[in-house]
mmCIF file of all heavy atoms in Angstrom:
data_model
loop_
_atom_site.group_PDB
_atom_site.id
_atom_site.type_symbol
_atom_site.label_atom_id
_atom_site.label_comp_id
_atom_site.label_asym_id
_atom_site.label_seq_id
_atom_site.Cartn_x
_atom_site.Cartn_y
_atom_site.Cartn_z
ATOM 1 N N LEU A 201 -13.088 -10.298 13.637
ATOM 2 C CA LEU A 201 -14.465 -10.575 13.183
ATOM 3 C C LEU A 201 -15.369 -9.407 13.354
ATOM 4 O O LEU A 201 -16.213 -9.020 12.492
ATOM 5 C CB LEU A 201 -15.000 -11.842 13.852
ATOM 6 C CG LEU A 201 -14.259 -13.160 13.507
ATOM 7 C CD1 LEU A 201 -14.901 -14.266 14.407
ATOM 8 C CD2 LEU A 201 -14.431 -13.462 12.064
ATOM 9 N N ALA A 202 -15.279 -8.737 14.509
ATOM 10 C CA ALA A 202 -16.125 -7.634 14.707
ATOM 11 C C ALA A 202 -15.867 -6.444 13.787
ATOM 12 O O ALA A 202 -16.661 -5.744 13.231
ATOM 13 C CB ALA A 202 -15.856 -6.989 16.101
ATOM 14 N N ILE A 203 -14.538 -6.246 13.458
ATOM 15 C CA ILE A 203 -14.101 -5.143 12.449
ATOM 16 C C ILE A 203 -14.676 -5.470 11.126
ATOM 17 O O ILE A 203 -15.172 -4.662 10.339
ATOM 18 C CB ILE A 203 -12.662 -4.966 12.475
ATOM 19 C CG1 ILE A 203 -12.140 -4.463 13.775
ATOM 20 C CG2 ILE A 203 -12.233 -4.118 11.310
ATOM 21 C CD1 ILE A 203 -10.604 -4.374 14.042
ATOM 22 N N ALA A 204 -14.677 -6.776 10.786
ATOM 23 C CA ALA A 204 -15.174 -7.220 9.412
ATOM 24 C C ALA A 204 -16.640 -6.971 9.417
ATOM 25 O O ALA A 204 -17.217 -6.497 8.396
ATOM 26 C CB ALA A 204 -14.821 -8.646 9.192
ATOM 27 N N ALA A 205 -17.390 -7.310 10.464
ATOM 28 C CA ALA A 205 -18.876 -7.118 10.515
ATOM 29 C C ALA A 205 -19.159 -5.613 10.446
ATOM 30 O O ALA A 205 -20.066 -5.198 9.746
ATOM 31 C CB ALA A 205 -19.404 -7.728 11.833
ATOM 32 N N LEU A 206 -18.382 -4.806 11.142
ATOM 33 C CA LEU A 206 -18.602 -3.334 11.065
ATOM 34 C C LEU A 206 -18.402 -2.800 9.712
ATOM 35 O O LEU A 206 -19.160 -1.947 9.232
ATOM 36 C CB LEU A 206 -17.720 -2.624 12.134
ATOM 37 C CG LEU A 206 -18.074 -2.727 13.537
ATOM 38 C CD1 LEU A 206 -17.007 -2.233 14.451
ATOM 39 C CD2 LEU A 206 -19.463 -2.028 13.797
ATOM 40 N N ALA A 207 -17.363 -3.325 9.096
ATOM 41 C CA ALA A 207 -17.047 -2.820 7.583
ATOM 42 C C ALA A 207 -18.246 -3.146 6.699
ATOM 43 O O ALA A 207 -18.645 -2.364 5.882
ATOM 44 C CB ALA A 207 -15.724 -3.353 7.176
ATOM 45 N N LEU A 208 -18.709 -4.427 6.856
ATOM 46 C CA LEU A 208 -19.952 -4.839 6.035
ATOM 47 C C LEU A 208 -21.172 -3.946 6.367
ATOM 48 O O LEU A 208 -21.885 -3.560 5.512
ATOM 49 C CB LEU A 208 -20.195 -6.305 6.330
ATOM 50 C CG LEU A 208 -19.215 -7.256 5.652
ATOM 51 C CD1 LEU A 208 -19.533 -8.688 6.142
ATOM 52 C CD2 LEU A 208 -19.358 -7.165 4.117
ATOM 53 N N ALA A 209 -21.412 -3.819 7.624
ATOM 54 C CA ALA A 209 -22.517 -2.990 8.133
ATOM 55 C C ALA A 209 -22.484 -1.528 7.583
ATOM 56 O O ALA A 209 -23.467 -0.907 7.222
ATOM 57 C CB ALA A 209 -22.684 -2.983 9.591
ATOM 58 N N GLU A 210 -21.209 -1.036 7.598
ATOM 59 C CA GLU A 210 -21.006 0.449 7.108
ATOM 60 C C GLU A 210 -21.325 0.507 5.680
ATOM 61 O O GLU A 210 -21.855 1.505 5.177
ATOM 62 C CB GLU A 210 -19.581 0.901 7.454
ATOM 63 C CG GLU A 210 -19.367 2.329 7.344
ATOM 64 C CD GLU A 210 -20.215 3.168 8.188
ATOM 65 O OE1 GLU A 210 -20.606 2.710 9.299
ATOM 66 O OE2 GLU A 210 -20.548 4.336 7.844
ATOM 67 N N ARG A 211 -21.024 -0.524 4.836
ATOM 68 C CA ARG A 211 -21.315 -0.429 3.409
ATOM 69 C C ARG A 211 -22.768 -0.539 3.201
ATOM 70 O O ARG A 211 -23.359 0.048 2.268
ATOM 71 C CB ARG A 211 -20.569 -1.658 2.697
ATOM 72 C CG ARG A 211 -19.080 -1.452 2.567
ATOM 73 C CD ARG A 211 -18.544 -2.645 1.814
ATOM 74 N NE ARG A 211 -17.081 -2.460 1.627
ATOM 75 C CZ ARG A 211 -16.339 -3.242 0.912
ATOM 76 N NH1 ARG A 211 -16.978 -4.334 0.340
ATOM 77 N NH2 ARG A 211 -15.064 -3.062 0.771
ATOM 78 N N ARG A 212 -23.508 -1.339 4.062
ATOM 79 C CA ARG A 212 -24.945 -1.550 3.810
ATOM 80 C C ARG A 212 -25.722 -0.409 4.445
ATOM 81 O O ARG A 212 -26.694 0.065 3.823
ATOM 82 C CB ARG A 212 -25.357 -2.911 4.502
ATOM 83 C CG ARG A 212 -26.822 -3.258 4.346
ATOM 84 C CD ARG A 212 -27.210 -3.463 2.940
ATOM 85 N NE ARG A 212 -28.622 -3.864 2.930
ATOM 86 C CZ ARG A 212 -29.600 -2.922 2.798
ATOM 87 N NH1 ARG A 212 -29.372 -1.638 2.884
ATOM 88 N NH2 ARG A 212 -30.834 -3.331 2.719
ATOM 89 N N TRP A 213 -25.318 0.075 5.609
ATOM 90 C CA TRP A 213 -26.039 1.120 6.272
ATOM 91 C C TRP A 213 -24.973 2.166 6.799
ATOM 92 O O TRP A 213 -24.566 2.125 7.945
ATOM 93 C CB TRP A 213 -26.790 0.564 7.580
ATOM 94 C CG TRP A 213 -27.713 -0.472 7.186
ATOM 95 C CD1 TRP A 213 -28.937 -0.439 6.654
ATOM 96 C CD2 TRP A 213 -27.537 -1.915 7.543
ATOM 97 N NE1 TRP A 213 -29.507 -1.666 6.561
ATOM 98 C CE2 TRP A 213 -28.686 -2.560 7.054
ATOM 99 C CE3 TRP A 213 -26.595 -2.689 8.138
ATOM 100 C CZ2 TRP A 213 -28.892 -3.969 7.131
ATOM 101 C CZ3 TRP A 213 -26.707 -4.033 8.259
ATOM 102 C CH2 TRP A 213 -27.878 -4.663 7.764
ATOM 103 N N PRO A 214 -24.679 3.110 5.860
ATOM 104 C CA PRO A 214 -23.644 4.121 6.237
ATOM 105 C C PRO A 214 -24.124 4.874 7.411
ATOM 106 O O PRO A 214 -25.261 5.222 7.601
ATOM 107 C CB PRO A 214 -23.637 4.978 4.868
ATOM 108 C CG PRO A 214 -24.115 4.148 3.852
ATOM 109 C CD PRO A 214 -25.131 3.153 4.471
ATOM 110 N N SER A 215 -23.071 5.272 8.265
ATOM 111 C CA SER A 215 -23.444 5.987 9.492
ATOM 112 C C SER A 215 -23.703 7.462 9.096
ATOM 113 O O SER A 215 -23.111 8.108 8.292
ATOM 114 C CB SER A 215 -22.257 5.956 10.489
ATOM 115 O OG SER A 215 -22.006 4.616 10.815
ATOM 116 N N ALA A 216 -24.719 7.968 9.813
ATOM 117 C CA ALA A 216 -24.983 9.443 9.683
ATOM 118 C C ALA A 216 -23.987 10.253 10.443
ATOM 119 O O ALA A 216 -23.292 9.718 11.426
ATOM 120 C CB ALA A 216 -26.425 9.750 10.221
ATOM 121 N N ALA A 217 -23.696 11.546 10.011
ATOM 122 C CA ALA A 217 -22.799 12.374 10.719
ATOM 123 C C ALA A 217 -23.311 12.670 12.082
ATOM 124 O O ALA A 217 -24.524 12.914 12.379
ATOM 125 C CB ALA A 217 -22.636 13.635 9.888
ATOM 126 N N PRO A 218 -22.335 12.486 13.083
ATOM 127 C CA PRO A 218 -22.853 12.754 14.560
ATOM 128 C C PRO A 218 -23.259 14.203 14.701
ATOM 129 O O PRO A 218 -22.742 15.144 14.032
ATOM 130 C CB PRO A 218 -21.614 12.430 15.292
ATOM 131 C CG PRO A 218 -20.468 12.634 14.383
ATOM 132 C CD PRO A 218 -20.970 12.280 13.010
ATOM 133 N N ARG A 219 -24.156 14.429 15.692
ATOM 134 C CA ARG A 219 -24.573 15.780 15.979
ATOM 135 C C ARG A 219 -23.426 16.440 16.835
ATOM 136 O O ARG A 219 -23.103 16.128 17.884
ATOM 137 C CB ARG A 219 -25.821 15.744 16.785
ATOM 138 C CG ARG A 219 -27.068 15.217 16.011
ATOM 139 C CD ARG A 219 -28.286 15.482 16.771
ATOM 140 N NE ARG A 219 -28.386 14.666 18.039
ATOM 141 C CZ ARG A 219 -28.800 13.417 18.082
ATOM 142 N NH1 ARG A 219 -29.149 12.733 16.922
ATOM 143 N NH2 ARG A 219 -28.831 12.807 19.232
ATOM 144 N N VAL A 220 -22.946 17.588 16.211
ATOM 145 C CA VAL A 220 -21.795 18.248 16.748
ATOM 146 C C VAL A 220 -22.056 18.783 18.225
ATOM 147 O O VAL A 220 -21.155 18.663 19.109
ATOM 148 C CB VAL A 220 -21.279 19.373 15.827
ATOM 149 C CG1 VAL A 220 -20.192 20.149 16.447
ATOM 150 C CG2 VAL A 220 -20.956 18.824 14.475
ATOM 151 N N GLN A 221 -23.116 19.381 18.362
ATOM 152 C CA GLN A 221 -23.483 20.032 19.602
ATOM 153 C C GLN A 221 -23.439 18.954 20.787
ATOM 154 O O GLN A 221 -22.925 19.234 21.812
ATOM 155 C CB GLN A 221 -24.836 20.702 19.688
ATOM 156 C CG GLN A 221 -24.820 21.885 18.756
ATOM 157 C CD GLN A 221 -26.143 22.699 18.763
ATOM 158 O OE1 GLN A 221 -27.174 22.167 19.327
ATOM 159 N NE2 GLN A 221 -26.163 23.898 18.171
ATOM 160 N N ARG A 222 -24.080 17.798 20.590
ATOM 161 C CA ARG A 222 -24.162 16.854 21.707
ATOM 162 C C ARG A 222 -22.803 16.267 21.903
ATOM 163 O O ARG A 222 -22.367 16.073 23.041
ATOM 164 C CB ARG A 222 -25.073 15.728 21.200
ATOM 165 C CG ARG A 222 -25.228 14.659 22.319
ATOM 166 C CD ARG A 222 -26.202 13.540 21.844
ATOM 167 N NE ARG A 222 -26.206 12.475 22.787
ATOM 168 C CZ ARG A 222 -26.814 11.330 22.687
ATOM 169 N NH1 ARG A 222 -27.472 11.120 21.544
ATOM 170 N NH2 ARG A 222 -26.864 10.389 23.629
#
Side-chain angles (χ1 to χ4, degrees):
L201 292 175
I203 292 172
L206 283 172
L208 287 171
E210 191 63 28
R211 288 184 177 183
R212 179 66 179 84
W213 303 286
S215 298
R219 294 191 294 275
V220 177
Q221 292 183 349
R222 182 180 175 187

